[in-house]
Amino acid sequence: MNSIFANNKRKTCSYKRALVQTLTLLITIVFFLSFTSVYASTMLSNLPCVNGQYSLSPCGELLYRICKDDKRNQKSHKEHINTSKFLGEILKTKDYSRIGSAPAPSVNVAWALDGKSFYQAMNTRKASVVAQLSVEKLGGYLPAYFFANPASFTVSAPVTEGRLISTEIMVDGLMSNLGIIPVIERLTVDHYKFIQYGGGYYEYDEVEEERRHIDPEPIKVFESDADSSFQVIKWLYDPYGQPAINVLYSPDTNKLSVKVLKHSRWSKKLNAFSKIELPFKLKIDEFKLFITYEDNVIPNSQNKAWYVSSKDHDTSALYEVDWATGASELLFHEPDFDISRPLYTRRGELLGVEIYKETNQFIPLTEKGKHLNKLINKERPISGHFDTNILSIADNASKVVFEISGNKDKRVYLADLNSNTTQIIADNNISDVSKTIPLWTETSDGGRILSYFTHLTEASNKKTAPLIVNIHGGPFERDKFSKGLYKDELLAKGFNILRVNYRNSNGFGKKLIKPKTIEYQRRVALDVIESLNNALNKMNLAPEKVIAFGLSYGGLVVTDIGTSKDLHKAFDAFISVNGAHNYCELSKRIGFETHQKFTNCTNPIVEKHFEKRNVYHNKPFVIAYGTADQTVLPKQSKNLLSQLKKHSNVKGVSLENESHTISVKALSKLMANF
């Protein structure tokens, strides 16, 4: 495989002449195809791109995007949210002319580091797939234009129980002529086997006079020794798909640490990372490590590393790691909110960080970041709430795709830092269908909880419309201003929605978190109820009914409220979907000792809380479960239904073939009687 890498060692932007020739040919072909393709005659500037994915090529000259096709004039909110056709296309960022298209929904998209091709990674129920698509000649042979031959090659790995498949991680580091899916088989809680699928390459068959893709058999890279003193909670790979680093958790010492593996060409240079050791506070992802690598296939690339951690504060901070010594330096800290992620190029140039407060914000930390922020500020609305999302950064930081998303303004821009200009590349503005308002609640124990109230702007019954209190899962997740699970679908059914970021939700630090207390579950439920009462008061609402709805951990919170002697009084109905009704059983099954510490599962009183419940009302109480859910097994809901079988108002709903996050169709089935 090393010979493949050697053949790819060329400067990222050195193929411009060949690329221009290829683009010219592509434009000619598209002009011809415009007579037969409904999309080829549509100019990009006229197309919205709802929930689009964007990926700039290394030099910023090309942009791949996948769009959810949408009609410009929508007659109703329902039409707007139910469109489902996807359109994939490659665009020239210089003049934004259309040069090709292929219908394809995808989970993740990224360019090869040398810019000659890009990859789509997608997880299905049966397999994970990485497909390579070419934009110029590969290996000196005929190019595979993706509207004529959608994929140069694909690599797939079967999904079986116990396997952790990481296509979303690996697609960001692939080289041209190389597609890899790393598969981690968890043999036991602390015993792993690492298998690599793919690593394919091209050979020219002189007899058949054609180019063939060679796809080797899966390779076992290594198998870890069973070690009960550590749990692997994160795998990091080098640009060639080799496992480079493990992030470990030790239940004995309650610490997070880094282990450098011996399978990467950078292993020796990474040795100092083994000195990183941090105290564990609350959750396994409170330590996030980000690495870029110096390699001659990536011009001006650097060995750089940053991590996000709350080791010294209640909220997370950004640190830079010295490759030589492993020492860290504090770069940025916000006292009231966690850092979501650093924003950097694959060459190792830092621009800034994203922080989600009431809305998502970009905070520049370098001169290049400040330059970008000035361009973003030119496009920001003067007033109102809106998310600023960085969607893609070219490896040379010459261009950046960013989105500004508010109640009405929903536009995607291409920023050119060399010419100091921006242009709209997707105008998703819609009629003022709904409005979301951030609300802060002062809790009875002195905390502050953020929630979002959303209503249809044209509804005549805004104050009296039925209200859904949608409780997110996790518990280490959060609701956001412009996005929320089933938000649009529930709005389309005529509900107002309140989404509550109870304590322990991502982004708000750990000031309110008091793990190992029996009262924690009740305190989360009180956060929900106090936020509800605050919304009713501030928004002057008198809903005809209030429904508690939650999925996963949110389903557990709904169950806690619905089976409480007093807390149920705030609601008229309860819908718990795939609820982790026995969180201790779940954490033991998936091997997260950190979750067990958090919930204090060794305390018999806590275990009893999950195992013995009752209902003290006759209000509708739906306990739904997906029969294909492998995260929270259906038996949890069945056990709860068995506990509550004497109550006629409790109804079990089996959702056939639904997994953990249920489909919109299944949601409609659940809401039919509400």
Side-chain angles (χ1 to χ4, degrees), residues 298-500:
I298 317 171
N300 304 315
S301 56
Q302 307 172 71
N303 291 327
K304 301 284 285 187
W306 305 271
Y307 67 78
V308 173
S309 171
S310 56
K311 64 173 185 174
D312 301 317
H313 312 89
D314 283 325
T315 55
S316 61
L318 178 68
Y319 299 83
E320 183 168 359
V321 182
D322 187 314
W323 271 58
T325 65
S328 60
E329 175 189 359
L330 176 65
L331 295 184
F332 182 81
H333 174 240
E334 159 64 50
D336 295 319
F337 297 92
D338 292 322
I339 292 173
S340 301
R341 59 170 179 156
L343 294 165
Y344 59 95
T345 70
R346 294 190 297 185
R347 295 184 183 182
E349 184 174 4
L350 181 68
L351 277 71
V353 295
E354 277 188 342
I355 295 181
Y356 213 108
K357 299 182 179 181
E358 288 185 354
T359 57
N360 203 36
Q361 300 181 19
F362 168 61
I363 310 295
L365 298 181
T366 62
E367 290 304 314
K368 185 67 68 73
K370 292 176 183 177
H371 184 185
L372 171 61
N373 199 45
K374 287 181 180 179
L375 294 176
I376 293 174
N377 284 335
K378 286 170 48 180
E379 307 298 344
R380 281 194 177 109
I382 297 175
S383 61
H385 295 91
F386 49 88
D387 284 334
T388 301
N389 304 312
I390 307 299
L391 304 181
S392 183
I393 306 172
D395 287 354
N396 63 359
S398 61
K399 293 186 175 72
V400 176
V401 177
F402 67 91
E403 176 187 45
I404 293 177
S405 180
N407 281 311
K408 183 179 179 181
D409 299 299
K410 299 178 186 295
R411 291 190 176 100
V412 180
Y413 298 83
L414 175 70
D416 189 324
L417 277 68
N418 291 335
S419 64
N420 201 36
T421 59
T422 59
Q423 61 173 311
I424 297 174
I425 61 174
D427 189 345
N428 302 323
N429 282 4
I430 58 175
S431 58
D432 197 5
V433 174
S434 65
K435 184 175 182 179
T436 296
I437 302 167
L439 297 172
W440 286 97
T441 298
E442 304 292 332
T443 65
S444 56
D445 64 343
R448 294 184 78 226
I449 298 295
L450 175 65
S451 57
Y452 297 103
F453 173 70
T454 306
H455 64 88
L456 291 174
T457 54
E458 297 179 359
S460 59
N461 63 336
K462 182 181 74 173
K463 295 184 183 300
T464 60
L467 176 64
I468 289 271
V469 180
N470 193 351
I471 307 169
H472 70 72
F476 309 124
E477 296 179 9
R478 68 161 292 161
D479 268 304
K480 299 181 178 180
F481 173 76
S482 57
K483 293 182 180 180
L485 187 64
Y486 308 128
K487 177 171 71 76
D488 290 341
E489 289 79 7
L490 292 171
L491 280 172
K493 295 181 182 299
F495 291 99
N496 287 339
I497 304 170
L498 182 69
R499 296 172 289 134
V500 181

Side-chain angles (χ1 to χ4, degrees), residues 42-86:
T42 306
M43 294 303 294
L44 169 73
S45 58
N46 295 328
L47 285 176
C49 187
V50 179
N51 297 326
Q53 297 183 52
Y54 298 81
S55 185
L56 283 160
S57 64
C59 292
E61 294 181 347
L62 296 175
L63 171 67
Y64 178 77
R65 79 173 188 178
I66 287 182
C67 301
K68 192 172 185 181
D69 194 21
D70 187 28
K71 296 179 180 179
R72 173 65 65 174
N73 298 313
Q74 298 294 342
K75 295 182 179 180
S76 70
H77 187 72
K78 185 175 181 180
E79 285 184 16
H80 175 70
I81 63 175
N82 285 343
T83 53
S84 59
K85 183 179 290 183
F86 283 80

Side-chain angles (χ1 to χ4, degrees), residues 186-193 223-233 246-253 257 259 591 593:
R186 185 168 59 196
L187 307 178
T188 65
V189 169
D190 45 24
H191 187 189
Y192 299 86
K193 182 164 63 174
E223 184 171 334
S224 69
D225 296 327
D227 185 348
S228 59
S229 62
F230 290 99
Q231 291 182 23
V232 178
I233 59 174
N246 283 158
V247 177
L248 306 174
Y249 169 67
S250 170
D252 296 338
T253 62
S257 60
K259 179 180 180 180
E593 290 198 35

Side-chain angles (χ1 to χ4, degrees), residues 551-564:
L551 183 143
S552 192
Y553 189 87
L556 166 61
V557 178
V558 170
T559 299
D560 282 341
I561 295 173
T563 57
S564 168

Side-chain angles (χ1 to χ4, degrees), residues 107-348:
V107 172
N108 197 16
V109 174
W111 288 79
L113 294 170
D114 60 8
K116 294 192 296 183
S117 58
F118 64 95
Y119 294 84
Q120 292 182 153
M122 181 165 51
N123 289 322
T124 68
R125 288 183 179 179
K126 295 183 178 180
S128 286
V129 180
V130 171
Q132 182 203 60
L133 297 95
S134 301
V135 293
E136 68 159 357
K137 293 182 179 180
L138 287 175
Y141 305 115
L142 292 176
Y145 299 119
F146 52 93
F147 49 74
N149 182 7
S152 304
F153 67 83
T154 61
V155 179
S156 63
V159 173
T160 60
E161 188 173 353
R163 283 187 164 186
L164 308 176
I165 298 183
S166 310
T167 54
E168 293 188 29
I169 298 172
M170 262 320 301
V171 77
D172 206 38
L174 295 173
M175 307 296 297
S176 274
N177 292 355
L178 174 67
I180 289 176
I181 300 178
V183 175
I184 304 154
E185 289 190 1
R186 185 168 59 196
L187 307 178
T188 65
V189 169
D190 45 24
H191 187 189
Y192 299 86
K193 182 164 63 174
F194 187 100
I195 302 172
Q196 190 166 277
Y197 283 74
Y201 57 95
Y202 287 102
E203 284 187 354
Y204 186 70
D205 188 324
E206 295 182 357
V207 176
E208 299 294 334
E209 295 185 342
E210 64 181 10
R211 186 184 59 151
R212 291 181 175 178
H213 178 253
I214 308 301
D215 196 3
E217 291 295 317
I219 301 170
K220 187 179 87 169
V221 180
F222 74 95
E223 184 171 334
S224 69
D225 296 327
D227 185 348
S228 59
S229 62
F230 290 99
Q231 291 182 23
V232 178
I233 59 174
K234 187 77 172 180
W235 300 79
L236 283 85
Y237 310 93
D238 70 19
Y240 296 101
Q242 302 305 305
I245 278 179
N246 283 158
V247 177
L248 306 174
Y249 169 67
S250 170
D252 296 338
T253 62
N254 203 36
K255 289 184 177 180
L256 299 166
S257 60
V258 171
K259 179 180 180 180
V260 177
L261 304 172
K262 299 178 180 179
H263 311 280
S264 168
R265 64 179 66 182
W266 283 274
S267 293
K268 290 184 179 179
K269 292 184 178 180
L270 289 167
N271 272 338
F273 282 65
S274 296
K275 298 178 182 179
I276 297 175
E277 187 176 75
L278 305 171
F280 167 76
K281 289 189 175 181
L282 178 65
K283 53 187 179 180
I284 58 175
D285 63 348
E286 65 186 22
F287 171 64
K288 301 175 183 177
L289 182 61
F290 306 87
I291 302 177
T292 65
Y293 298 86
E294 180 182 357
D295 190 89
N296 58 5
V297 79
I298 317 171
N300 304 315
S301 56
Q302 307 172 71
N303 291 327
K304 301 284 285 187
W306 305 271
Y307 67 78
V308 173
S309 171
S310 56
K311 64 173 185 174
D312 301 317
H313 312 89
D314 283 325
T315 55
S316 61
L318 178 68
Y319 299 83
E320 183 168 359
V321 182
D322 187 314
W323 271 58
T325 65
S328 60
E329 175 189 359
L330 176 65
L331 295 184
F332 182 81
H333 174 240
E334 159 64 50
D336 295 319
F337 297 92
D338 292 322
I339 292 173
S340 301
R341 59 170 179 156
L343 294 165
Y344 59 95
T345 70
R346 294 190 297 185
R347 295 184 183 182

